Amino acid sequence: MGNSDLSMILPRVLIVSRRTVRKNKFVDFVGEYHLDLIVSYGAVPVIVPRVSGVHTLLESFEPIHGVLLCEGEDIDPSLYDAELSGLSPQELEEIRKLHASDTSIDKEKDSIELRLAKLCLERNIPYMGICRGSQVLNVACGGTLYQDVEKEISKQCPEGKRVSHMNYEDYDGHRHPVRVVENTPLHHWFKDSLEDDDGKMEIMVNSYHHQGVKKLAQRFVPMAFAPDGLVEGFYDPDAYRPEEGKFIMGLQFHPERMRNPDSDVFDYSGCSSAYQEFVRAVISYEKKLNCSSSCLPKAPKLNQEQEKKRQIILRSFSIAKNVYSGRGSGMVSSPKSELEVGAEFLEANTPLSLQQENRLKQMGATVRNAKLYMERLKMNEEKERVARIIMGKMSIEQLSDLMSTYRMMGQICSELLEKKLQDLDIEDI
């Protein structure tokens, strides 16, 4: 098989270019380390040029089996809740002068990358964000950023906790410690190195940024923290199963560049694991995508009685919709029982919100035990309100531990429930 044949069957990873000025012209580029690692693990990098209008042409890059977003300029602060930073105009001007190459906003790159990030989240396409790419992911999910880590965090920290996240004089050699959270992908990748670290759970990472995650989006769990508390890595535990084509992750540091300058050997054996597992997910996603058209089971065929019930329920919903939207003529000409069918179906199959409950009343439908049901809903809302107040006072570490505990409990519940259901099936035989 020739190289051209091979490239046709390998999965495609989209990478958005960054632009720079060379000989008075803009030039698009992507760091070669990213490209080398993607190719070496079995995927094809497809560069999306940072060119005006490309954000409207992303469907032309289909099929998309993975997205890797990496370094670039600061994200437009208007895309997240930046006014809460409390920085004065004078401080913002100091930041612009100190980090001139990063603070020039590139709105076209923002548009391209945010659309790709949201596309990945909608379709469960594997996504890895490095440095700026991790910040794009957080913003796409409703998180916020520090406009300048030094001014907003470092100066508020005790001397022993302060971290330099950018060193222009030692760009590639600069390192700072991060504490790795147990039982996360990062922990598994660097496990051998962490075991040699006398139980400190620390690795030394490079750092090329002056911004970082401020409020981590709700769906994510931290994987690493700098001594000043900045989140250095995060992932979506519900979307991390590389063998099933699931991978949503952000790393603030650059594992691809953590190398010995003389030998090009990685600082740790786990440095390349992020790319290896990402491409593993990309390959699995492509297989799943290719299989979807031919392997999806056909919808079960309804018998005559089931089809009749389905038609009755659909008619009930249609009548209710017409009444609610004002297309009905005042009083419903159809029997009241036709509306009750839909209401009873909803009550039996899905918990209703207060808004849905009120809509059903406006439609003229009745729900059995409505009073007791609404009391339960109100009680649940009050429990949620109290829980939010209590959890709002917890630290990031406490919330992370709490989330891990509940995830473990959920997994145990699922396993036990499946076992009990299997036992029931055996008893029925």
Side-chain angles (χ1 to χ4, degrees), residues 3-284:
N3 288 338
S4 59
D5 296 328
L6 186 63
S7 67
M8 291 297 291
I9 63 171
L10 291 179
R12 296 152 53 90
V13 175
L14 267 57
I15 308 178
V16 181
S17 67
R18 186 179 184 180
R19 69 177 184 177
T20 188
V21 177
R22 185 171 181 269
K23 296 182 178 178
N24 299 318
K25 292 181 290 186
F26 283 121
V27 175
D28 282 37
F29 70 97
V30 173
E32 198 167 288
Y33 280 148
H34 300 297
L35 306 177
D36 279 343
L37 286 164
I38 293 296
V39 170
S40 67
Y41 288 120
V44 172
V46 177
I47 297 177
V48 179
R50 184 257 157 260
V51 179
S52 296
V54 166
H55 69 275
T56 65
L57 305 173
L58 294 178
E59 64 275 8
S60 301
F61 291 90
E62 300 276 6
I64 302 170
H65 304 122
V67 171
L68 169 66
L69 298 185
C70 35
E71 58 271 0
E73 295 81 0
D74 294 350
I75 299 170
D76 185 351
S78 67
L79 296 171
Y80 57 93
D81 203 7
E83 66 270 12
L84 299 179
S85 66
L87 295 173
S88 67
Q90 183 181 355
E91 287 176 314
L92 290 171
E93 184 58 33
E94 289 173 3
I95 294 166
R96 279 191 284 270
K97 288 181 179 178
L98 182 60
H99 306 288
S101 62
D102 291 326
T103 52
S104 54
I105 303 301
D106 187 343
K107 292 191 175 184
E108 182 64 29
K109 186 174 173 71
D110 288 347
S111 297
I112 296 169
E113 295 192 339
L114 281 168
R115 288 202 179 195
L116 282 175
K118 290 175 181 177
L119 185 69
C120 290
L121 295 166
E122 289 167 8
R123 295 195 202 167
N124 289 318
I125 298 172
Y127 176 105
M128 183 162 71
I130 302 292
C131 196
R132 169 191 155 101
S134 68
Q135 297 172 13
V136 169
L137 178 60
N138 189 48
V139 170
C141 292
T144 63
L145 306 176
Y146 289 109
Q147 288 199 74
D148 189 78
V149 172
E150 183 182 2
K151 291 190 179 295
E152 294 185 65
I153 296 184
S154 298
K155 289 187 176 179
Q156 315 301 325
C157 285
E159 188 68 35
K161 297 285 186 181
R162 291 182 185 176
V163 176
S164 172
H165 290 277
M166 174 72 86
N167 185 338
Y168 288 111
E169 294 179 0
D170 188 16
Y171 196 71
D172 264 327
H174 176 62
R175 300 283 188 274
H176 70 70
V178 297
R179 180 179 61 81
V180 177
V181 178
E182 286 190 70
N183 299 319
T184 61
L186 207 61
H187 177 212
H188 298 310
W189 299 341
F190 289 87
K191 191 172 183 179
D192 292 343
S193 304
L194 293 167
E195 286 177 350
D196 297 337
D197 196 35
D198 299 325
K200 288 183 179 179
M201 292 295 288
E202 286 187 352
I203 56 173
M204 300 296 291
V205 302
N206 51 13
S207 195
Y208 308 89
H209 63 102
H210 79 99
Q211 296 194 325
V213 170
K214 185 174 185 177
K215 184 187 81 175
L216 187 63
Q218 191 173 3
R219 69 185 290 166
F220 298 125
V221 171
M223 295 195 297
F225 296 94
D228 57 12
L230 188 72
V231 175
E232 290 277 342
F234 59 88
Y235 78 118
D236 182 346
D238 295 324
Y240 182 79
R241 293 184 189 85
E243 70 281 2
E244 297 178 14
K246 296 180 179 180
F247 191 108
I248 301 290
M249 180 178 294
L251 298 174
Q252 182 59 72
F253 58 95
H254 286 259
E256 81 284 357
R257 295 180 69 161
M258 288 167 56
R259 307 179 185 228
N260 185 306
D262 298 323
S263 64
D264 216 30
V265 174
F266 284 114
D267 292 359
Y268 303 97
S269 57
C271 286
S272 60
S273 296
Y275 287 82
Q276 187 173 7
E277 291 302 289
F278 170 64
V279 173
R280 182 185 175 201
V282 168
I283 292 169
S284 299

Side-chain angles (χ1 to χ4, degrees), residues 291-412:
C291 183
S292 62
S293 58
S294 57
C295 300
L296 280 179
K298 294 181 180 179
K301 191 173 182 179
L302 302 178
N303 60 36
Q304 193 173 357
E305 185 181 352
Q306 289 171 328
E307 178 61 26
K308 185 178 179 181
K309 286 181 179 179
R310 188 181 75 87
Q311 292 293 342
I312 290 171
I313 291 168
L314 286 176
R315 174 169 170 74
S316 179
F317 288 164
S318 178
I319 293 169
K321 180 182 177 184
N322 289 339
V323 173
Y324 183 68
S325 62
R327 290 198 292 268
S329 55
M331 295 295 293
V332 184
S333 58
S334 302
K336 188 177 179 181
S337 60
E338 289 192 306
L339 278 170
E340 288 179 344
V341 170
E344 288 175 6
F345 175 81
L346 288 173
E347 183 190 20
N349 289 277
T350 56
L352 305 180
S353 69
L354 286 173
Q355 184 183 10
Q356 290 170 327
E357 195 82 47
N358 290 331
R359 281 190 178 185
L360 281 175
K361 286 187 174 183
Q362 290 169 353
M363 294 171 191
T366 60
V367 179
R368 296 173 185 172
N369 302 322
K371 185 178 179 182
L372 290 174
Y373 193 77
M374 291 176 74
E375 285 176 359
R376 288 202 303 271
L377 283 172
K378 288 175 181 176
M379 190 182 299
N380 289 338
E381 287 184 350
E382 177 62 18
K383 286 180 182 177
E384 182 181 344
R385 187 186 69 81
V386 173
R388 285 184 180 276
I389 292 171
I390 294 171
M391 293 171 69
K393 297 177 181 178
M394 295 171 71
S395 66
I396 292 174
E397 289 85 351
Q398 288 172 326
L399 287 170
S400 179
D401 290 343
L402 184 64
M403 190 175 290
S404 297
T405 301
Y406 274 96
R407 189 172 302 106
M408 178 183 65
M409 289 172 66
Q411 185 176 353
I412 293 170

